[in-house]
Amino acid sequence: MRVHWDDESIAQEALKQFPVHGERLVYLGKSDNVTFQVQTKRENLNYLLKLHYAAKGSHSQKAVESELLWLEALAADTSLTVPSPVRNRENGLTAEAAVNASGESVVVTLHRWVEGELLDREPTPGEARSLAQLMAALHRHAMEWVAPAGFTRPVYHTDNVLSLPGPLKRLLETDVISGEEYACLERTAHQIAAGLQRQTAAQSTWGLIHSDLHESNYVFDQGVPKPIDFSACGFGFYLFDVAETFLHLSPENRREFWSAYREERQLREVDARSLDMFFVWAILRNFAFLAGNPEEHASLAELIPKVATSYFENYLKDEPVLGIGSR
């Protein structure tokens, strides 16, 4: 029998591999990872410790290490405050900790704690513009930074879009959505995939993106936004990053964000069809993620028909979705 040791004991043991003296571990939560705040005696000097249970095998560990390499580079090359990694006592980016007496282990990382507060409300127009400036800074760095050999992160492109109908089919099989609604979602995914083939992947349009910059993944500290949780970062179109954040902003704040982002990136007007495509993809991706949680099925049953009518059907008919940019 494999007896799994408790997460706090695993975290305490793992912390010994890092040059940090923690006084107290505070459990933060569990998703793909289990996270703890490591508190020290010094004021405003805390850390974030992650137990990466989803990282199985050498490929996944390489992906975690690659995320940390970008965070190290962002901390070194920019003025942004990011959850930069603390290397272990042997100068490695990750550590491993035993989880049971059978010898199974989990990948462990330690990050500098990013001070700030999560927003429990819609950002103000000024905060939306600050978020856009933050995203533009991430994209400017990605355009210039040369990832080292072996750098491994997810790729957000055609295969990713075409994988979305799979988890969404569970909603059809459990009668959460109708066959007609599922067919609309599937057609939307295929039209996005076709549209992606027409996009040009150049230095100014494609690179490393956060891919999940919403109100749970940034904090504000004295009016300055700071990004956290880069666990979904990967290669994709910069406009997809913008669209993911649009998903969590009001229509007014989307316009503020877009205006500031264009200024920062010195962009000419972007084709509204492209922006609409990435936005619809962001919605579809979110639905596929939520479909894996039965507790979300009741809200999805109500939401998907409304979104299919107001967004997906317009997109499929090549009609405006966001109303931003020029057609």
Side-chain angles (χ1 to χ4, degrees):
M1 185 175 72
R2 296 177 177 179
V3 179
H4 195 290
W5 298 332
D6 70 273
D7 291 325
E8 185 169 351
S9 298
I10 295 166
Q12 289 280 15
E13 195 63 27
L15 192 59
K16 296 176 182 177
Q17 299 181 55
F18 295 90
V20 167
H21 299 289
E23 291 294 310
R24 182 167 172 250
L25 285 182
V26 178
Y27 175 78
L28 298 177
K30 180 176 184 177
S31 54
D32 288 341
N33 309 315
V34 173
T35 53
F36 292 89
Q37 184 187 49
V38 181
Q39 297 181 345
T40 72
K41 285 184 176 179
R42 291 177 58 186
E43 187 178 0
N44 293 331
L45 181 63
N46 299 315
Y47 300 91
L48 174 71
L49 186 142
K50 291 187 181 183
L51 305 178
H52 294 260
Y53 284 113
K56 303 290 185 184
S58 59
H59 180 83
S60 293
Q61 182 164 354
K62 181 66 73 174
V64 172
E65 291 172 349
S66 297
E67 173 197 338
L68 303 193
L69 283 170
W70 190 31
L71 285 169
E72 272 193 338
L74 283 166
D77 302 339
T78 75
S79 60
L80 296 173
T81 300
V82 297
S84 55
V86 178
R87 287 183 175 255
N88 66 32
R89 293 183 186 277
E90 296 179 357
N91 201 37
L93 284 164
T94 63
E96 287 191 51
V99 298
N100 58 37
S102 301
E104 292 183 53
S105 63
V106 63
V107 174
V108 182
T109 59
L110 190 68
H111 304 252
R112 289 168 181 85
W113 185 262
V114 176
E115 296 291 341
E117 300 295 328
L118 294 169
L119 290 188
D120 57 359
R121 53 170 173 78
E122 179 75 19
T124 66
E127 287 168 341
R129 296 185 71 86
S130 295
L131 281 171
Q133 291 160 357
L134 162 61
M135 182 172 283
L138 291 173
H139 294 171
R140 283 195 300 268
H141 182 268
M143 282 188 276
E144 299 299 327
W145 186 57
V146 179
F151 190 88
T152 302
R153 290 303 302 168
V155 176
Y156 298 107
H157 205 279
T158 311
D159 288 349
N160 180 269
V161 179
L162 294 177
S163 73
L164 300 180
L168 289 168
K169 196 166 189 179
R170 296 178 203 147
L171 301 178
L172 172 64
E173 293 165 347
T174 53
D175 295 322
V176 176
I177 59 174
S178 68
E180 185 179 353
E181 288 156 359
Y182 176 74
C184 176
L185 301 181
E186 192 173 37
R187 283 199 309 275
T188 300
H190 283 279
Q191 186 156 311
I192 294 167
L196 283 173
Q197 298 300 316
R198 297 189 289 271
Q199 295 288 313
T200 302
Q203 184 185 24
S204 62
T205 61
W206 169 279
L208 268 174
I209 59 174
H210 185 285
S211 103
D212 206 20
L213 194 65
H214 56 72
E215 66 277 3
S216 297
N217 287 339
Y218 60 76
V219 295
F220 270 89
D221 185 25
Q222 298 180 353
V224 177
K226 300 175 179 179
I228 57 176
D229 195 352
F230 281 67
S231 59
C233 72
F235 293 97
F237 287 101
Y238 296 127
L239 284 184
F240 183 50
D241 222 6
V242 171
E244 277 287 346
T245 298
F246 273 7
L247 197 57
H248 303 268
L249 297 177
S250 68
E252 294 76 17
N253 273 337
R254 289 171 194 159
R255 286 189 281 272
E256 291 287 347
F257 185 104
W258 181 240
S259 172
Y261 180 81
R262 281 185 58 209
E263 288 173 15
E264 291 290 317
R265 290 283 319 276
Q266 298 180 332
L267 294 178
R268 296 190 299 273
E269 188 64 71
V270 171
D271 179 4
R273 289 183 180 86
S274 296
L275 207 47
D276 285 349
M277 177 189 71
F278 287 113
F279 182 65
V280 170
W281 178 8
I283 298 173
L284 204 63
R285 179 190 179 198
N286 187 49
F287 284 166
F289 173 75
L290 296 176
N293 182 358
E295 293 181 5
E296 297 287 350
H297 287 185
S299 60
L300 288 174
E302 185 177 344
L303 187 59
I304 287 177
K306 294 177 181 177
V307 171
T309 301
S310 56
Y311 291 111
F312 295 164
E313 289 180 10
N314 281 3
Y315 171 68
L316 290 169
K317 292 185 288 189
D318 196 27
E319 294 179 356
V321 175
L322 282 166
I324 297 175
S326 59
R327 295 183 73 83

